[in-house]
Amino acid sequence: MNDSTNRLTRRDLIASSLVTSLGAAALGGSAPAAAQPIGSMPATTKELWQWFRTQPVLDLQRTYLDVATAGPTLRAAMATEYRVRDSQSLNVASFAEGQWSAESTRIATAFGGFIGCDADEIVFTRGTGEALATVANGLDLNAGDEILTTNREHPAVISPWLLLARRRGIVVKQIDLPAPLSGPEQALGLFAGAVTDRTKVLMFSHVQYADGTLMPVQELCQFARSRNLISVVDGAQALGMLDFQLRDLGCDFYGTSFHKWLGGSNGTGMLYVRRDMLDRIWPSLPRGIDASPPVITPTQSNGHVGAPAALHKLGNIVPLSWAPLRGAEVALGFHQQVLRSRIEARIRELTIYARLRLQQLPGVEVLTPNRPGLWGGILSFHVPGRLASDITLGLVRGHRVFARDMQWPGKSEGAVRISLHAFNTHDEVDKLFAGLQQVLR
Ligand SMILES: Cc1ncc(COP(=O)(O)O)c(C=O)c1O
């Protein structure tokens, strides 16, 4: 699709803001959980976003437009992490097994309240890659069984399946997703058309990392259920960007990271395991084995006794990752305090503004769909005849603007990706625009 067919019109803009506010209203905002107050938050919108900008550890002299690769950590999360490490070291001898169970339950309950699932359905991990590798390696799949996915999944998520294809002969089928996607029905049609009798798993991203396409998760999961397929969703780019509840999406497994859009400590994330899927997955890192199969429960080991069901079965890293998880919990409280719906609306507003600016640049072809409901805080673009890596280098060297260049199927120059969080500003978008004007001259 060429640039002119993917341009944003005034009608699209109005429809987009309606989607945002209706979506927020339909979901009823974020469910309350153990929020941790983060100092005093300004009441007016202008001051709120100025204050928000000061909350992560971020070099404000440069324009950071790459939270989709790595999110800056909130100061409050870092401070908590340090304090927790300090007290843990001081009290090293007095941590009883029961305390870990209680603490694991408390943290899982907080995250479950935030993301919309039960504490029993959460496994903490070091990120999305680990979460979804747990699924790939834990399901009983045989040679010839098919995994249906797309050609634009993240390497950390697709690689475990590709490895399984080599080791066990499962088949990984990757649908070519067009960019920009024309609508949810196009994605649904492509998946529906590629399912065979051998298909066992549907796997896709909630938000595509390469171009920010928001996939029709609910519809795809519904389709998967109607065909008796397991749905596995990569939510690395969604948590902290979008206001959603897992129970509305209807997936069987969902992996996400706390260290991107949420502002949590590095090396934290989670896997959601729908309650009735727990019997269908084997642990990858068992720390003990029960006497009676088929359910393996590492009941003997410290931190597992009395922990919520999924942590109990699949492995509980809370005793090992307590400090960063407490930091992530603070980040969760921060999003609740500001309001997830408000953060999403701000991200969308900045992204609309960035798209309008990009459209003013001749030769720039936006790859992210503009149709309402199909995009969030990520925009990718391509400039025919100009290497994406030259563009990002020119932006960083000449303008201190950090964007990401990426390879793109069928486009030898690659694409440039920007991601905008609520801490970014309209002035920063203007800096990107001015930088691109010079770099593309
Ligand atoms: C869509 C997507 N999935 C998975 C990952 C890997 O996430 P993690 O580093 O938390 O394992 C990323 C990282 O950028 C991503 O964008």
Side-chain angles (χ1 to χ4, degrees):
M1 193 174 283
N2 66 27
D3 182 31
S4 61
T5 54
N6 195 33
R7 291 180 83 80
L8 200 64
T9 62
R10 277 178 66 79
R11 213 180 48 174
D12 293 331
L13 281 183
I14 293 163
S16 306
S17 40
L18 273 178
V19 162
T20 312
S21 49
L22 288 177
L27 295 177
S30 315
Q36 315 242 347
I38 317 271
S40 51
M41 188 178 87
T44 70
T45 303
K46 187 164 175 242
E47 284 171 343
L48 170 71
W49 298 121
Q50 282 170 353
W51 169 83
F52 192 101
R53 185 167 167 72
T54 63
Q55 299 306 299
V57 178
L58 188 64
D59 179 356
L60 297 179
Q61 301 306 311
R62 49 181 214 177
T63 298
Y64 187 65
L65 303 179
D66 198 17
V67 64
T69 295
T73 310
L74 291 168
R75 282 172 208 292
M78 273 196 193
T80 297
E81 183 170 346
Y82 179 81
R83 275 200 301 273
V84 169
R85 283 198 191 286
D86 205 43
S87 82
Q88 191 173 9
S89 191
L90 278 171
N91 301 305
V92 71
S94 57
F95 271 84
E97 188 157 295
Q99 273 174 279
W100 283 127
S101 306
E103 182 60 4
S104 304
T105 305
R106 195 190 61 72
I107 300 181
T109 304
F111 273 94
F114 186 78
I115 201 167
C117 68
D118 291 340
D120 276 339
E121 298 172 310
I122 286 183
V123 182
F124 292 112
T125 65
R126 287 171 300 172
T128 304
E130 183 174 305
L132 296 183
T134 304
V135 179
N137 292 314
L139 288 173
D140 275 330
L141 293 169
N142 301 312
D145 287 345
E146 287 175 4
I147 311 302
L148 187 56
T149 183
T150 83
N151 61 335
R152 285 199 268 128
E153 303 310 318
H154 192 275
V157 170
I158 193 75
S159 302
W161 300 97
L162 294 174
L163 210 60
L164 281 183
R166 286 197 203 167
R167 287 178 60 199
R168 288 202 229 140
I170 67 154
V171 177
V172 179
K173 274 174 75 174
Q174 292 178 269
I175 297 165
D176 277 345
L177 267 193
L181 195 71
S182 64
E185 58 289 339
Q186 190 178 26
L188 269 171
L190 286 167
F191 271 97
V195 167
T196 72
D197 289 348
R198 306 302 308 258
T199 310
K200 296 283 188 276
V201 174
L202 236 61
M203 188 186 78
F204 50 89
S205 297
H206 189 166
V207 177
Q208 290 281 349
Y209 84 103
D211 67 6
T213 304
L214 225 145
M215 295 290 280
V217 181
Q218 221 171 354
E219 292 87 343
L220 284 168
C221 291
Q222 229 166 35
F223 168 73
R225 178 130 327 131
S226 73
R227 302 293 290 266
N228 215 13
L229 309 174
I230 296 172
S231 52
V232 179
V233 181
D234 174 350
Q237 298 295 347
L239 189 71
M241 176 210 277
L242 304 175
D243 183 16
F244 65 96
Q245 295 279 283
L246 273 183
R247 59 176 64 92
D248 296 327
L249 300 182
C251 50
D252 292 321
F253 296 100
Y254 188 97
T256 191
S257 317
F258 305 150
H259 50 219
K260 289 184 186 290
W261 297 80
L262 195 70
S265 305
N266 206 23
T268 51
M270 62 168 264
L271 170 67
Y272 158 77
V273 181
R274 186 206 256 298
R275 194 180 279 269
D276 48 10
M277 278 291 137
L278 199 52
D279 282 348
R280 298 183 61 177
I281 184 166
W282 296 81
S284 296
L285 297 167
R287 292 174 74 119
I289 298 185
D290 259 4
S292 51
V295 179
I296 294 185
T297 47
T299 48
Q300 301 310 314
S301 125
N302 186 14
H304 296 282
V305 183
L311 281 169
H312 179 69
K313 178 173 182 186
L314 299 178
N316 185 7
I317 65 165
V318 171
L320 298 173
S321 299
W322 190 42
L325 284 170
R326 290 285 308 277
E329 190 191 4
V330 168
L332 170 161
F334 173 75
H335 279 246
Q336 285 175 322
Q337 194 176 341
V338 179
L339 278 189
R340 288 176 73 185
S341 54
R342 194 149 54 164
I343 293 172
E344 177 180 332
R346 159 86 175 175
I347 290 171
R348 284 182 179 277
E349 186 205 329
L350 284 166
T351 311
I352 290 175
Y353 183 59
R355 187 188 268 274
L356 289 172
R357 289 304 244 161
L358 289 177
Q359 284 181 184
Q360 292 165 353
L361 291 165
V364 169
E365 193 182 310
V366 178
L367 298 162
T368 308
N370 70 22
R371 191 158 147 184
L374 278 191
W375 54 272
I378 298 176
L379 280 178
S380 293
F381 59 93
H382 166 249
V383 186
R386 303 298 295 263
L387 274 183
S389 52
D390 287 348
I391 298 174
T392 51
L393 200 65
L395 285 173
V396 78
R397 289 215 174 130
H399 306 273
R400 293 173 68 90
V401 172
F402 284 73
R404 162 108 185 248
D405 54 274
M406 25 215 339
Q407 294 179 344
W408 199 273
K411 296 196 190 304
S412 56
E413 303 96 333
V416 178
R417 180 187 75 182
I418 58 166
S419 34
L420 295 137
H421 206 313
F423 57 71
N424 288 121
T425 63
H426 295 82
D427 281 352
E428 288 185 313
V429 174
D430 290 340
K431 278 188 192 148
L432 166 75
F433 177 73
L436 282 171
Q437 273 186 316
Q438 277 197 9
V439 170
L440 296 178
R441 197 171 280 160

